Amino acid sequence: MCGIVGYIGPKNAYPVLIKGLKRLEYRGYDSSGIALSQNNQINIFKKKGKVSELEYFCSEKETYTNVGIAHTRWATHGEPNDNNAHPHHSMNNTFSIIHNGIIENYERLKKDLLNKGYTFYSDTDSEVLANLIEYMYNEGDHVNAEQAVRMALSRVVGAYGLVVMCKDEPGKLIASRVSSPLAIGIGEGEYFLASDATPIIEYTKNVVFLNDKDVAIITKNSLTLKSVDADEEITPEIHRIELSVGELEKNGYDHFMLKEIFEQPKTITDSFRGRIDPVTKEVFLGGLSEVMPRILDAKRIIIIACGTSWHAALIGEYLIEEYAQVPVEVEYASEYRYRRPIIREDDVVIAISQSGETADTMAAIRLAKEKGALVLGICNVVGSSVARETHAGIYTHAGVEIGVASTKAFTAQVTVLTLIALRLARKHQTITDERYFTIIDDLISVPDKIESILIKHPSIKKIAKKYYKAVNALYLGRGFLFPVALEGALKLKEISYIHAEGYAAGEMKHGPIALIDNNLPVVVVAAKDRYYEKVVSNIQEVKARKGNIIAVITEGDSALRDMVEDIMEIPKCDEVVSPLLTVIPLQLFSYYIAVLRGCDVDQPRNLAKSVTVE
Ligand code: G6P
């Protein structure tokens, strides 16, 4: 979704801004733009399409400056075009603004401004904000840019991450946020602003994450933090970001998604590293230790998430209910936040989010906190809103995930959920020693087993070649592998635009069976587990209707090998860890199909990596 970059300091700002925009491309966008403070005026260049088009557009222009802001826009108000792209300027060009989020009361504000004689050139809510700031600046006595921004923001309802430049105060950037992330990188006599840390880390590791309603006033030598509502200075809290630039590069892979699929043996190891005692094999979750008594007293666990994280949550439900014997409910954050759910003080709510910034998930977290529940976070991005706003939590340690379609973050989430289920099961004494140690041993062996699946990628590519022209696809699974079927279908539709449905195999007869004919690829996740025989029956039902079956099977399963058209094999494993293995061939299958269809794998159309608006 929209991305923000800003720079102030001794460098030429233009290349820093363009590079920053490119770092943010992974978030998904449809236009981009740049505003440069030059000779006491602000020059704005913007273009629909990719950042490379903006760069081409600017190639003949004078772009040198030491202060500038830049933006990638993902359309909400008004179609993607040059006009609606950011930065926006106020009517008299005094202010220029880049804005992520949505100003909910923009229509009323716009009406007031129209009545006061303001005119508008775009369909965006952000232009309204630019004009509101200018109005405040011109109306008050001796109002400076910072005061005008704070006055305007006090009238705004909605979400924003924004950076403002004022023509009259050229050596200054003013930034603020509510519900939309904004980070400030601190260099030597220079500052970098961005909506996530990726554009910043090659310059500095020292970052301040703005909190809601913070207003940052930045010159090349100073960072002053205040609040929208109060003039007193706040001391900025500086975080150190342990990210390397190498993590932001493809390192020889054709796409970030492929790189991230292949990283999973390492990322899963990183997720359980230091959390399983090498001698006693007990699970230790440092992030939860202080709140563990309350977790153990919980009458119910509610897991909230969106997208792929929601699929991980379903696996968590199955694991926690079975092994820790605690009732679990899984909710879409977008539904939960609006449907007046019953939340009790003895509930534990777990929010799962790769980015830690998903707007619906954040709203659900705030609701659960308001109602007195203990709210835990499982997230990947260090310092993200989920990490900061939950009572306690666990990082997944999957590293930066750039491909929009989530892969390594999913398996890291499932790993963490497995650890939580095992920890609770041990504490509640609802698991036998034998079962516990079997699962732990199998979890530790998962990275090696994934390596052995990844080696077979050419065979999966071959299968993709057979099916890449399909129009529809059906994915089936049972038990722990039902959410894997959902995730497999989601991966395919996200990046290849093939319509794919994931279903609980037992539900097939209640609808999807009507779709089956000899044109429909049916992907069945059929590893050897307690449901295996049932899944084989489902396969027979598909076969009887001439569907083309691609089965994910356990090595050595000659019965299924002979029964279906195509197979993707996983090594023998305990059923508890089978989601971590079976999802790998499905990720690769979607990837190769999308490549064969010529799709933009890392930045699929209309999707965003971090969905910061609802
Ligand atoms: C977007 C992404 C998905 C992701 C979902 C939830 O739709 O494209 O890959 O699963 O948001 O994101 P989160 O960061 O909260 O896990």
Side-chain angles (χ1 to χ4, degrees):
M1 219 148 244
C2 305
I4 280 178
V5 194
Y7 176 76
I8 186 163
K11 293 189 175 70
N12 180 6
Y14 177 75
V16 176
L17 296 171
I18 289 286
K19 195 164 190 193
L21 290 182
K22 287 186 177 168
R23 291 277 188 227
L24 291 176
E25 282 190 302
Y26 78 98
R27 293 166 69 99
Y29 70 106
D30 43 53
S31 53
S32 64
I34 204 155
L36 306 173
S37 171
Q38 295 169 305
N39 307 321
N40 290 326
Q41 61 178 34
I42 299 171
N43 294 317
I44 297 180
F45 309 110
K46 42 197 200 172
K47 269 277 159 238
K48 181 184 167 186
K50 296 279 173 192
V51 174
S52 54
E53 289 167 58
L54 172 71
E55 221 180 344
Y56 181 71
F57 178 64
C58 291
S59 55
E60 302 282 288
K61 312 264 187 308
E62 174 50 60
T63 51
Y64 188 87
T65 177
N66 301 123
V67 188
I69 56 179
H71 191 260
T72 47
R73 173 175 187 254
W74 190 87
T76 56
H77 293 68
E79 62 175 273
N81 59 29
D82 294 357
N83 221 27
N84 288 332
H86 294 217
H88 285 287
H89 61 82
S90 57
M91 188 174 75
N92 300 306
N93 294 312
T94 315
F95 288 91
S96 169
I97 178 173
I98 49 176
H99 165 227
N100 288 358
I102 292 178
I103 306 299
E104 286 165 16
N105 60 339
Y106 87 103
E107 283 188 53
R108 199 179 52 73
L109 294 171
K110 187 170 181 174
K111 212 164 133 206
D112 290 351
L113 289 163
L114 283 166
N115 286 337
K116 291 182 165 65
Y118 272 83
T119 55
F120 294 84
Y121 60 85
S122 79
D123 309 316
T124 65
D125 52 340
S126 312
E127 188 194 359
V128 176
L129 195 48
N131 276 336
L132 183 64
I133 295 170
E134 185 177 281
Y135 171 72
M136 296 297 180
Y137 186 68
N138 290 337
E139 280 308 288
D141 282 338
H142 311 295
V143 171
N144 63 23
E146 168 215 322
Q147 287 160 333
V149 170
R150 287 172 48 214
M151 283 156 75
L153 292 181
S154 67
R155 296 192 43 189
V156 156
V157 178
Y160 56 80
L162 57 89
V163 189
V164 181
M165 289 200 299
C166 175
K167 165 171 81 68
D168 304 334
E169 298 179 36
K172 192 179 279 176
L173 295 174
I174 300 163
S176 187
R177 71 155 265 173
V178 165
S179 301
S180 188
L182 203 54
I184 302 171
I186 306 171
E188 296 280 325
E190 59 184 351
Y191 290 91
F192 306 83
L193 289 102
S195 41
D196 69 43
T198 51
I200 295 176
I201 53 161
E202 56 202 278
Y203 307 105
T204 173
K205 303 253 182 259
N206 296 327
V207 172
V208 172
F209 294 105
L210 291 191
N211 289 314
D212 277 356
K213 291 207 158 187
D214 280 355
V215 177
I217 304 106
I218 307 159
T219 67
K220 69 180 161 77
N221 294 314
S222 67
L223 164 64
T224 311
L225 217 55
K226 294 185 180 177
S227 152
V228 169
D229 306 317
D231 201 36
E232 286 92 64
E233 285 191 26
I234 305 166
T235 311
E237 201 182 314
I238 301 171
H239 296 258
R240 210 161 153 80
I241 298 290
E242 299 306 338
L243 260 182
S244 68
V245 179
E247 288 185 60
L248 308 178
E249 310 286 350
K250 287 190 204 142
N251 297 340
Y253 287 92
D254 287 345
H255 296 95
F256 281 109
M257 182 180 177
L258 190 63
K259 175 186 168 218
E260 287 156 7
I261 291 173
F262 273 81
E263 277 172 353
Q264 289 174 106
K266 176 178 180 300
T267 51
I268 290 175
T269 309
D270 289 345
S271 299
F272 64 65
R273 194 198 300 279
R275 290 171 172 160
I276 301 173
D277 186 294
V279 180
T280 64
K281 299 204 174 149
E282 291 301 338
V283 171
F284 174 74
L285 300 170
L288 301 186
S289 48
E290 273 186 24
V291 291
M292 195 45 96
R294 224 176 133 186
I295 301 175
L296 294 175
D297 281 345
K299 298 281 173 296
R300 180 172 68 147
I301 292 175
I302 301 160
I303 314 184
I304 48 176
C306 304
T308 288
S309 301
W310 187 83
H311 295 155
L314 282 182
I315 297 172
E317 175 185 24
Y318 283 37
L319 289 168
I320 295 170
E321 287 210 338
E322 174 155 351
Y323 290 102
Q325 305 273 296
V326 182
V328 179
E329 287 166 27
V330 174
E331 300 266 2
Y332 284 119
S334 55
E335 286 294 311
Y336 191 70
R337 61 179 291 194
Y338 285 120
R339 70 169 184 78
R340 299 202 190 142
I342 296 167
I343 308 172
R344 303 196 193 92
E345 288 186 5
D346 54 8
D347 285 332
V348 167
V349 171
I350 304 179
I352 307 180
S353 174
Q354 186 287 127
S355 62
E357 301 295 348
T358 303
D360 285 322
T361 307
M362 283 311 302
I365 288 172
R366 288 176 189 136
L367 176 71
K369 278 173 80 180
E370 251 170 60
K371 302 275 181 190
L374 175 73
V375 183
L376 311 176
I378 296 179
C379 76
N380 195 35
V381 177
V382 176
S384 59
S385 299
V386 168
R388 286 178 301 134
E389 291 200 29
T390 46
H391 295 117
I394 304 182
Y395 282 121
T396 44
H397 296 313
V400 187
E401 189 178 66
I402 292 188
V404 163
S406 185
T407 52
K408 62 175 183 172
F410 172 76
T411 47
Q413 289 165 346
V414 174
T415 304
V416 164
L417 285 160
T418 310
L419 294 177
I420 292 178
L422 291 172
R423 179 75 183 138
L424 297 186
R426 271 316 246 185
K427 286 275 189 188
H428 285 307
Q429 299 182 344
T430 45
I431 191 168
T432 62
D433 280 359
E434 194 193 349
R435 189 75 193 106
Y436 176 81
F437 291 118
T438 307
I439 297 174
I440 287 283
D441 286 342
D442 237 53
L443 184 60
I444 293 170
S445 72
V446 161
D448 287 342
K449 289 181 178 167
I450 292 183
E451 291 287 7
S452 75
I453 300 170
L454 292 170
I455 288 170
K456 294 187 191 150
H457 69 274
S459 71
I460 297 170
K461 193 172 183 177
K462 231 169 162 177
I463 304 173
K465 277 191 182 142
K466 267 175 82 176
Y467 295 101
Y468 78 97
K469 290 189 177 151
V471 179
N472 297 296
L474 179 62
Y475 283 66
L476 301 172
R478 278 179 185 253
F480 296 119
L481 302 181
F482 157 50
V484 173
L486 296 180
E487 176 59 10
L490 177 65
K491 284 292 87 77
L492 188 69
K493 80 182 110 182
E494 279 179 312
I495 59 170
S496 75
Y497 318 140
I498 293 175
H499 168 239
E501 291 213 42
Y503 247 83
E507 277 290 299
M508 180 179 72
K509 54 190 170 297
H510 300 295
I513 200 163
L515 302 173
I516 298 171
D517 62 15
N518 59 1
N519 288 318
L520 186 77
V522 182
V523 180
V524 188
V525 196
K528 285 260 170 132
D529 59 13
R530 78 185 85 158
Y531 308 96
Y532 175 76
E533 300 300 337
K534 304 256 173 231
V535 175
V536 173
S537 304
N538 295 127
I539 288 177
Q540 295 288 12
E541 287 161 5
V542 176
K543 251 176 93 75
R545 287 156 187 88
K546 302 202 165 29
N548 296 302
I549 302 166
I550 305 147
V552 181
I553 66 169
T554 305
E555 273 165 13
D557 184 351
S558 49
L560 270 189
R561 175 192 289 268
D562 297 340
M563 203 182 292
V564 302
E565 273 72 29
D566 295 286
I567 53 148
M568 308 187 215
E569 286 179 315
I570 62 153
K572 287 196 177 82
C573 66
D574 192 279
E575 62 179 17
V576 166
V577 302
S578 63
L580 292 169
L581 301 182
T582 49
V583 78
I584 307 291
L586 300 185
Q587 295 169 345
L588 285 168
F589 183 60
S590 307
Y591 170 78
Y592 288 122
I593 286 194
V595 170
L596 287 161
R597 289 167 72 95
C599 297
D600 187 347
V601 174
D602 286 332
Q603 290 162 44
R605 70 182 179 206
N606 304 339
L607 294 178
K609 183 71 189 156
S610 173
V611 181
T612 48
V613 297
E614 57 171 301

